[in-house]
Amino acid sequence: MKALLYLTRRKFINNFKRAVKKPASLLLIIFCAAYGIFLVVMLAKLAGQVHFDSPKGLVVILTIWSLYIFLSNFASYASRKGIIFKPSDTHMVFPAPISPKLILLHSAWMNYLLSVVIGIVFAIAGLTVFGVAPWRVMLLFLIEIVLELSMEISVMLLLYTNDRIPRNVITWISRGIKVFLIGITIFIILYFKKYGITLDTASAFIDWPGLLMIPIVGWNIAAYRLVLLGADTVNIICTVLYLLTVAVTFLAAWRTKTDGGYYEDAAKFADDYAEMRKRKLDGEMVTGIGEKRKKFRKVSESFKASGAKAIFYRQLLEYKKERFFIFSKMTLLCLGMSLILAKSMEAGARKSGVPQLFFMGIILYIALIFSGYLGKWENELKNPYLYLIPDKPIKKLWYATLMEHIKSFVDGCVFCIPIGIGWRLDMLQIILAILTYTVLQANRLYTRVVAQCILGDTLGKTGQNLVRSLIQMMILGIGAAVSAIAGFMINMDLVFPIILIYSMIVTVATGLLASIRFHTMEQL
């Protein structure tokens, strides 16, 4: 145990030293922490303004959080992908004479630290915002920290370390958990599909006794309601069931014997996790760990081109080899978000009388939060031939990004058309929204070149991403302010023309600036 504590302490110290040597990492952590505190404070003020600052309001938040964390955590544990192992663990930690259970708990301690932090936030919010009595807050904190963590740790140990149960039985148990989680998700979706997504239906769903009867997660919510809102028959019965389930699961995990049978799966997971991290740093959209190898199609076509045009046709051939051509996970994500936003925000956008501003804000926010997704552009910058082709830098930069622009246009159509139709915007506004989305995505690519030229490798990937994000925030903020002022003072129909013209000017300027420094990037 002392060896694991020493290892944790040394990791923390080394990470701190690395952050000091690379201030960008430290600044990013401080910025994220400050942004998180800002969000908590603003949400607290909002809760008071909408009269949500009561124990019932806290129950609503806890219910949503419990459903989210239960579905995500148990799904990852069922796949044996909820614990992060590193390649160094397979060589240094697994062979050590330490209990496999302790090794597993050591690898998962960050998960539980997050749960403790969230529990503290809820406790403080209960006292300061929601007006909950101190003794109720203490009971709430005990449920979150003791009962929830005991349940989560016990399930994790049973799925990872139970060597007595045959592997195929564990596999079927894991599949059963997945089916159970999928069933809960489908049930929630069907409920809101039938009754619609409104505050009244959401409130009715949270107060519905049937929700409390869902095993484990419903019983957990019942315990929250018992503490915060008082006792009723359903709350008492479901809370007792939850306490019994936690006790039985904890005893079963305590008595489980293991010889480290999960080490082999953990070693493979460590390699997959390291590969996933590398791909994310390269700007790829990675939705899972240990994804299957891509299958490519056979392409018999050939193209002939000279100079910078050859870059575009090579990329076109690469996309033709893909199973779904230029349609990717980003396309599916755009489609899913657009369908949800078209349905859920239709009433609010139309009642406001300024749906154009709503739509513009969504597009700008999407452009900002997905600024780290660069598609194949990141890998393109690593190809030496890109800099050796005898052509003008501006042409090379244009043809190297042209395929990504086409892909952004298609994703923009998938994202903007359902929202525009759902919100009953006219066709011109939808077309301008698509073009704005495409131009902003182009700006994201060129900003990447500018950030890399400015910083080089002095601040690493983190510094480049931070600078790129700050540049984009400044650009998007100015554009949003100018178009909103024009919309309120002149005409709302000018919102998209102005943001489009502004975005085109800024993107062309960024592209020209990037092309000037493009010939020096090979040295970086």
Side-chain angles (χ1 to χ4, degrees):
M1 185 63 183
K2 289 183 179 179
L4 294 177
L5 292 175
Y6 172 78
L7 181 61
T8 303
R9 187 171 69 254
R10 288 310 312 173
K11 281 183 179 179
F12 177 79
I13 293 172
N14 292 338
N15 287 335
F16 180 76
K17 288 182 178 178
R18 194 179 299 115
V20 172
K21 288 181 180 178
K22 290 188 175 182
S25 302
L26 192 59
L27 289 174
L28 183 62
I29 293 171
I30 294 172
F31 174 78
C32 291
Y35 184 66
I37 294 171
F38 169 76
L39 284 180
V40 170
V41 173
M42 292 304 296
L43 288 173
K45 290 183 178 179
L46 180 63
Q49 292 173 358
V50 298
H51 306 291
F52 200 65
D53 51 346
S54 63
K56 178 64 182 297
L58 184 57
V59 167
V60 172
I61 295 173
L62 286 169
T63 300
I64 296 171
W65 172 254
S66 298
L67 289 170
Y68 165 75
I69 206 70
F70 174 80
L71 293 172
S72 59
N73 282 357
F74 279 71
S76 60
Y77 292 145
S79 303
R80 286 197 170 192
K81 294 181 179 179
I83 309 301
I84 295 176
F85 298 98
K86 296 183 178 179
S88 57
D89 293 337
T90 62
H91 302 290
M92 304 295 294
V93 178
F94 292 167
I98 303 173
S99 168
K101 288 185 180 180
L102 285 179
I103 291 176
L104 196 62
L105 291 173
H106 165 260
S107 300
W109 73 273
M110 280 296 291
N111 297 15
Y112 309 133
L113 180 62
L114 176 63
S115 298
V116 172
V117 171
I118 295 296
I120 293 172
V121 170
F122 280 139
I124 295 173
L127 289 171
T128 58
V129 178
F130 296 98
V132 181
W135 68 272
R136 292 182 184 273
V137 171
M138 284 296 298
L139 288 176
L140 175 67
F141 188 74
L142 288 175
I143 291 172
E144 288 183 298
I145 303 305
V146 178
L147 296 181
E148 276 193 39
L149 284 185
S150 297
M151 185 68 190
E152 188 175 333
I153 291 171
S154 300
V155 171
M156 177 197 68
L157 290 173
L158 288 172
L159 290 175
Y160 273 86
T161 64
N162 202 326
D163 296 339
R164 293 182 179 180
I165 302 176
R167 180 180 287 269
N168 61 337
V169 176
I170 290 290
T171 302
W172 280 105
I173 292 174
S174 300
R175 288 175 181 173
I177 293 174
K178 290 179 182 178
V179 170
F180 173 64
L181 297 176
I182 291 171
I184 294 175
T185 306
I186 292 174
F187 168 75
I188 295 172
I189 292 172
L190 291 177
Y191 175 88
F192 285 105
K193 183 180 178 181
K194 181 178 180 180
Y195 297 104
I197 303 176
T198 64
L199 289 176
D200 292 335
T201 57
S203 178
F205 177 76
I206 289 171
D207 291 334
W208 183 46
L211 175 65
L212 308 183
M213 298 178 189
I214 298 175
I216 302 177
V217 64
W219 300 342
N220 185 14
I221 294 170
Y224 290 144
R225 296 181 71 91
L226 176 64
V227 170
L228 295 174
L229 301 180
D232 60 37
T233 306
V234 177
N235 285 351
I236 294 173
I237 294 173
C238 292
T239 302
V240 170
L241 289 173
Y242 184 62
L243 292 172
L244 292 174
T245 304
V246 172
V248 171
T249 310
F250 180 80
L251 289 174
W254 180 270
R255 298 186 61 182
T256 298
K257 303 293 182 182
T258 180
D259 296 321
Y262 68 90
Y263 285 168
E264 183 179 350
D265 292 337
K268 183 179 182 304
F269 176 83
D271 294 336
D272 292 339
Y273 179 76
E275 178 65 21
M276 182 270 292
R277 290 276 300 169
K278 181 178 179 298
R279 290 173 60 191
K280 275 194 172 182
L281 286 174
D282 287 341
E284 293 185 46
M285 175 171 281
V286 186
T287 56
I289 299 173
E291 294 180 343
K292 295 180 180 178
R293 276 187 175 276
K294 281 186 176 181
K295 293 183 179 179
F296 296 98
R297 297 186 300 172
K298 184 180 286 187
V299 178
S300 57
E301 298 177 61
S302 62
F303 299 100
K304 290 184 179 180
S306 60
K309 287 184 180 179
I311 304 171
F312 169 73
Y313 286 109
R314 186 193 64 78
Q315 291 182 353
L316 179 60
L317 280 173
E318 278 191 1
Y319 274 109
K320 280 181 173 289
K321 291 177 183 177
E322 298 279 353
R323 292 180 65 187
F324 303 105
F325 190 39
I326 59 175
F327 302 103
S328 63
K329 294 171 184 174
M330 187 65 183
T331 311
L332 288 175
L333 185 60
C334 287
L335 179 61
M337 289 190 299
S338 67
L339 294 175
I340 293 172
L341 292 171
K343 183 68 176 176
S344 61
M345 294 187 64
E346 176 191 0
R350 293 181 62 192
K351 285 180 181 178
S352 68
V354 287
Q356 299 94 331
L357 277 181
F358 272 72
F359 201 4
M360 182 194 69
I362 290 172
I363 291 174
L364 295 179
Y365 187 69
I366 293 297
L368 181 62
I369 63 173
F370 288 112
S371 62
Y373 169 66
L374 299 174
K376 295 188 177 183
W377 174 233
E378 183 75 16
N379 292 327
E380 195 67 52
L381 289 172
K382 297 177 182 177
N383 292 326
Y385 78 86
L386 183 63
Y387 310 99
L388 299 176
I389 290 176
D391 212 331
K392 295 179 180 179
I394 185 67
K395 282 190 174 182
K396 289 194 284 187
L397 188 64
W398 167 251
Y399 282 111
T401 56
L402 180 56
M403 200 65 213
E404 292 298 325
H405 299 335
I406 296 171
K407 187 177 181 302
S408 297
F409 178 77
V410 173
D411 290 345
C413 292
V414 171
F415 181 75
C416 296
I417 290 175
I419 296 178
I421 293 174
W423 293 6
R424 292 175 174 81
L425 297 175
D426 59 72
M427 187 54 64
L428 179 60
Q429 297 288 332
I430 297 174
I431 293 172
L432 292 175
I434 294 170
L435 294 176
T436 302
Y437 179 94
T438 306
V439 173
L440 290 175
Q441 296 301 313
N443 181 267
R444 168 178 56 88
L445 300 178
Y446 298 142
T447 307
R448 168 72 178 84
V449 178
V450 173
Q452 187 169 344
C453 289
I454 292 173
L455 299 177
D457 285 333
T458 54
L459 297 180
K461 292 278 187 183
T462 304
Q464 292 174 13
N465 292 335
L466 182 60
V467 169
R468 187 183 69 238
S469 298
L470 291 174
I471 292 173
Q472 281 206 285
M473 286 174 66
M474 181 180 66
I475 291 172
L476 297 178
I478 294 173
V482 171
S483 57
I485 291 171
F488 281 116
M489 296 186 67
I490 305 174
N491 193 317
M492 275 297 162
D493 290 336
L494 293 177
V495 168
F496 274 112
I498 289 176
I499 191 67
L500 177 59
I501 294 170
Y502 168 81
S503 302
M504 290 178 67
I505 293 172
V506 172
T507 301
V508 170
T510 308
L512 291 173
L513 180 62
S515 67
I516 293 171
R517 299 290 299 168
F518 191 65
H519 67 282
T520 64
M521 288 194 65
E522 185 182 9
Q523 304 169 14
L524 301 177

